[in-house]
Amino acid sequence: MKNILLVFLGGGLGSIFRYLISKFLNSTDLNIPWGTFAVNIIGSFLIGLFIGSAIKHNNLGTPLYILLATGFCGGFTTFSTFSFENQALFKSGDFLNFIIYAFGSLFLGIIAAAIGLYCSKLT
């Protein structure tokens, strides 16, 4: 029950931060949803950092790991919104922004996670 509450708390906080960032960055007139893009890249970096640190210190499954990696990052990032926004760009015929957003998010997300893992080795 404790772990469920930690996921609930972390997920709630992550969702609040995602909402605030998306509200601010998605309010621009540009076609690419920069808020979703930003939270997914930041979240990829953070989960790399949290998992790398947990592995380094043998803390996988601890309350802090569950709160931050599972809860916060799970609530902060959003694959469902990313998927919906991509299909909307594709459906509207905005193929250039679809390609930039879809492949840019995937490529930079993987790079950000790798950088997070690398940074966790430095601590």
Side-chain angles (χ1 to χ4, degrees):
M1 186 63 154
K2 177 182 173 185
N3 288 348
I4 292 171
L5 291 174
L6 290 169
V7 171
F8 175 76
L9 178 62
L13 291 172
S15 295
I16 290 168
F17 280 99
R18 178 181 72 226
Y19 169 76
L20 294 172
I21 291 170
S22 292
K23 182 176 176 166
F24 177 72
L25 293 177
N26 284 351
S27 64
T28 64
D29 291 330
L30 300 174
N31 290 335
I32 294 176
W34 292 110
T36 307
F37 182 83
V39 298
N40 285 335
I41 302 306
I42 293 166
S44 295
F45 170 77
L46 289 175
I47 202 157
L49 190 66
F50 297 153
I51 290 174
S53 181
I55 290 170
K56 179 180 179 181
H57 301 298
N58 199 24
N59 290 334
L60 284 172
T62 63
L64 184 61
Y65 171 82
I66 292 168
L67 175 75
L68 296 175
T70 304
F72 184 83
C73 288
F76 185 63
T77 60
T78 173
F79 189 76
S80 57
T81 302
F82 167 76
S83 299
F84 176 79
E85 291 166 345
N86 271 294
Q87 74 80 31
L89 287 170
F90 188 83
K91 186 177 178 182
S92 72
D94 192 354
F95 300 117
L96 179 61
N97 283 321
F98 164 75
I99 290 168
I100 291 169
Y101 181 50
F103 293 102
S105 294
L106 293 172
F107 179 74
L108 292 176
I110 292 168
I111 297 292
I115 292 170
L117 284 167
Y118 176 77
C119 287
S120 70
K121 293 179 182 180
L122 300 178
T123 59

